[in-house]
Amino acid sequence: MTMTITTTPFADQKPGTSGLRKKVRVFQQTHYAENFVQSVFDVLADYVGQTLVVGGDGRFLNRDVIQTIIRMAAANGFGRVLVGLGGILSTPAASNVIRKQGAFGGLILSASHNPGGPDEDFGIKYNIGNGGPAPEKMTDAIYARSKVIDRYFTVQGPDVDLDRLGETQMAGMTVSVIDPVADYAKLMEQLFDFGAIRALIADGFSISFDAMHAVTGPYALEILERRLGAPAGTVVNGTPLPDFGGLNPDPNMVHAHDLFERMFGPDAPDFGAASDGDGDRNLILGRNIFVTPSDSLAALAANAHLAPGYAQGLKGIARSMPTSGAADRVAHALGLPLYETPTGWKFFGNLLDAGLVTICGEESAGTGSDHVREKDGLWAVLLWLNILAVRRESVEAIMAAHWARFGRNYYARHDYEGVDIVAAERLVSELRAALPRLPVRTTHGLTVAEADEFEYLDPVDGSRSQGQGLRLRFEGGARIVFRLSGTGTSGATLRIYLERYEGPEGVLDLETAAALADLAAVADAIAGIVRYTGRDGPTVIM
Ligand code: G16
């Protein structure tokens, strides 16, 4: 029987760049998760009798919140819930299930690359029927609802056994526990030439994939080791753990340090990769080379036609504004349209649905295509492997040839994490106020040619998103972007994106830090980073 539970609103349920992310302790407050889930259901229309997909990255609280959602879905009138075995569904796999099963939408439980455990992070995100994150107008409506919510609906009943495949009933709703990997693996087999990759591996090509004790473990073991024949041990840290083994499931130089050491050490494998908590991010390494996400997007776009799923060519390319212009050079050379969106995968959804673009990417280690409506870590790894299997060159050689053709966008992101929120906001507002004065200012021999704040007009639905990052363009094409992260859970994270272009005839083999040292100094001189943050350097460089 449906129960109506009286509740009071929480003031802090505003979804960020990707859903609601908070400390576990925040989610453990009485009614906190329920309020947010009911706020989502309250802004949906015509879902009675429809299917809801539910799953997460296996982090602490995943199973508890899944049981809560199943009860609430039954009380709210959903006809069926599809939930991954063990509560597991990677973000791209959830997107695929929503699309393939014609579901109304899905709730994905993850805080992505943020750490997990009782004192760490949790998150809930709603995805719509196209499989992609809810657009901004819906997340705004969810937030508005969360501020006035006074009741939620649930039913009583035993927990669903998440560890057994099959169907059960709950208050008239069917709950199906599904294999989280099968459909996804099948989709990958349709997009990529598994035979060619299998042959590459059989010829001795070695891979190291770090699943970081997060959700991609079961997917990578099935695809890389079982279907593609990579030797046992190719996938490391392959068992999802509620606290990710005490590590941050963030595939970058700091948190995937072991993989970096392996790839830059003696006897390095030919190819190294990692994914994050919920399986949508990717890290790509070759022997002695780190491919920046911006460069990876460009290289994948330039070579995608080598994989069967993209043999017809691309319709267009999209990248988030802070992502480097490397993909723009490829789009230009291939005669493809290039779209520049705000940070957040949700902004790619309309472009993909309208058939305007095939491949999208972000500097934040995200790449994907129109096969789902989320970025997809293993997809990027498999597209790289497919390209390597056809070209039979090293990652280093492929990137050298890429830069020799398109030029090189030296690029880095400097993150200042856990900064005092007031100080970070003051830095941004002072810089915003200074924008009109900046084009005349010259520092470190660099002249600011243009300074503005990015806003986006969605070409499909005409919606406008403002305040999407402060941009400084320099004469000669260099660029600095400043923005505050929308995914952190403690304090503010200031992100500074540095970029400088060298044409094909220029110097293409500089160390990135050296190539960008002047720009980093200019960023501080203009914005007073040290002064405002009290830090003498970034916490993480990506
Ligand atoms: C999310 C979004 C991405 C975004 C990233 C970083 O990724 O889906 O689109 O680029 O956060 O956002 P921010 O710079 O605001 O922290 P994920 O992998 O965390 O879900």
Side-chain angles (χ1 to χ4, degrees):
M1 201 188 70
T2 301
M3 300 187 299
T4 304
I5 311 291
T6 304
T7 187
T8 48
F10 292 88
D12 64 346
Q13 297 198 326
K14 183 174 170 47
T17 310
S18 184
L20 184 68
R21 285 186 196 166
K22 299 283 175 194
K23 290 286 168 207
V24 163
R25 304 271 183 227
V26 174
F27 270 102
Q28 283 173 325
Q29 297 172 88
T30 308
H31 304 326
Y32 192 88
E34 289 87 344
N35 273 21
F36 187 71
V37 171
Q38 188 65 53
S39 299
V40 171
F41 292 162
D42 284 349
V43 305
L44 305 179
D46 302 327
Y47 61 82
V48 171
Q50 303 268 356
T51 299
L52 182 73
V53 173
V54 183
D57 63 9
R59 69 178 59 224
F60 187 85
L61 222 58
N62 193 46
R63 285 170 176 264
D64 297 346
V65 175
I66 286 177
Q67 300 291 353
T68 300
I69 291 171
I70 292 173
R71 288 194 181 86
M72 290 182 65
N76 278 275
F78 278 93
R80 177 186 288 268
V81 160
L82 301 176
V83 57
L85 187 69
I88 292 288
L89 268 179
S90 78
T91 290
S95 181
N96 182 45
V97 173
I98 294 170
R99 294 167 67 76
K100 204 170 161 211
Q101 303 295 329
F104 187 84
L107 283 165
I108 303 176
L109 312 181
S110 172
S112 188
H113 53 292
N114 296 7
D119 298 317
E120 300 296 355
D121 295 357
F122 190 73
I124 306 182
K125 171 169 85 152
Y126 180 70
N127 279 32
I128 60 176
N130 73 352
E136 222 176 29
K137 59 176 183 303
M138 185 177 282
T139 55
D140 287 349
I142 294 167
Y143 177 45
R145 179 64 194 150
S146 76
K147 289 194 283 193
V148 295
I149 193 160
D150 59 359
R151 55 91 189 101
Y152 66 86
F153 305 120
T154 189
V155 297
Q156 267 175 331
D159 280 359
V160 170
D161 182 355
L162 297 176
D163 296 307
R164 206 156 40 108
L165 293 172
E167 292 195 345
T168 48
Q169 295 293 315
M170 175 168 300
M173 182 184 81
T174 304
V175 182
S176 306
V177 178
I178 59 168
D179 180 333
V181 178
D183 283 351
Y184 178 83
K186 202 162 138 198
L187 176 63
M188 294 301 116
E189 273 185 330
Q190 287 159 4
L191 295 173
F192 303 117
D193 186 345
F194 272 37
I197 303 174
R198 220 178 284 122
L200 177 77
I201 293 170
D203 287 347
F205 184 90
S206 52
I207 302 169
S208 185
F209 180 89
D210 191 344
M212 306 193 88
H213 288 305
V215 81
T216 38
Y219 296 86
L221 284 165
E222 173 63 26
I223 295 172
L224 298 178
E225 295 192 9
R226 287 188 206 110
R227 300 199 185 196
L228 292 170
T234 295
V235 177
V236 297
N237 300 325
T239 308
L241 298 174
D243 66 348
F244 308 116
L247 306 168
N248 275 31
D250 192 351
N252 63 27
M253 272 179 233
V254 174
H255 300 299
H257 184 250
D258 289 356
L259 180 65
F260 268 86
E261 292 239 304
R262 219 172 300 138
M263 296 307 298
F264 284 84
D267 305 321
D270 295 297
F271 183 75
S275 191
D276 69 332
D278 60 332
D280 57 2
R281 296 186 174 206
N282 70 85
L283 165 67
I284 301 294
L285 296 156
R287 187 176 286 153
N288 289 317
I289 181 171
F290 158 57
V291 185
T292 69
S294 295
D295 271 349
S296 181
L297 170 66
L300 292 179
N303 292 283
H305 61 280
L306 300 177
Y310 306 94
Q312 311 299 324
L314 309 177
K315 293 173 185 152
I317 307 171
R319 64 161 173 85
S320 66
M321 180 276 284
T323 303
S324 95
D328 306 31
R329 312 251 159 212
V330 175
H332 182 72
L334 301 184
L336 297 171
L338 183 286
Y339 295 85
E340 188 179 38
T341 60
T343 295
W345 204 263
K346 59 190 171 206
F347 292 101
F348 295 135
N350 279 347
L351 301 174
L352 291 163
D353 283 352
L356 297 174
V357 300
T358 308
I359 280 191
C360 310
E362 293 188 281
E363 49 64 38
S364 56
T367 341
S369 85
D370 55 2
H371 68 292
V372 288
R373 292 295 180 274
E374 287 280 4
K375 56 189 187 277
D376 189 344
L378 264 175
W379 170 91
V381 170
L382 291 168
L383 181 49
W384 262 103
L385 288 175
N386 197 147
I387 292 164
L388 290 159
V390 174
R391 289 186 53 164
R392 296 274 176 156
E393 292 168 81
S394 67
V395 174
E396 205 172 7
I398 287 178
M399 287 318 300
H402 185 91
W403 294 326
R405 178 174 172 200
F406 299 102
R408 179 170 181 184
N409 292 67
Y410 287 102
Y411 184 85
R413 186 179 95 189
H414 289 192
D415 289 344
Y416 292 75
E417 296 174 330
V419 174
D420 176 66
I421 294 180
V422 176
E425 283 174 352
R426 195 171 304 144
L427 180 153
V428 170
S429 61
E430 297 269 313
L431 184 58
R432 182 181 290 121
L435 290 177
R437 300 195 298 274
L438 279 175
V440 288
R441 190 146 147 192
T442 310
T443 38
H444 290 77
L446 286 155
T447 301
V448 182
E450 249 181 291
D452 68 357
E453 183 158 27
F454 180 57
E455 67 170 60
Y456 179 61
L457 179 64
D458 186 307
V460 179
D461 67 13
S463 58
R464 193 176 285 277
S465 302
Q466 290 170 314
Q468 297 294 338
L470 305 177
R471 307 189 280 195
L472 311 184
R473 283 179 209 289
F474 293 83
E475 282 178 6
R479 183 177 78 149
I480 305 176
V481 174
F482 296 82
R483 62 178 280 281
L484 297 180
S485 158
T487 54
T489 56
S490 23
T493 295
L494 172 68
R495 301 205 195 284
I496 295 150
Y497 312 79
L498 308 169
E499 176 177 3
R500 199 191 107 190
Y501 178 68
E502 278 281 325
E505 313 301 329
V507 188
L508 300 173
D509 58 356
L510 292 174
E511 284 291 326
T512 301
L516 298 173
D518 281 0
L519 270 183
V522 168
D524 183 48
I526 290 180
I529 302 163
V530 175
R531 186 158 36 91
Y532 281 105
T533 64
R535 309 276 175 79
D536 52 14
T539 337
V540 179
I541 297 180
M542 266 181 68

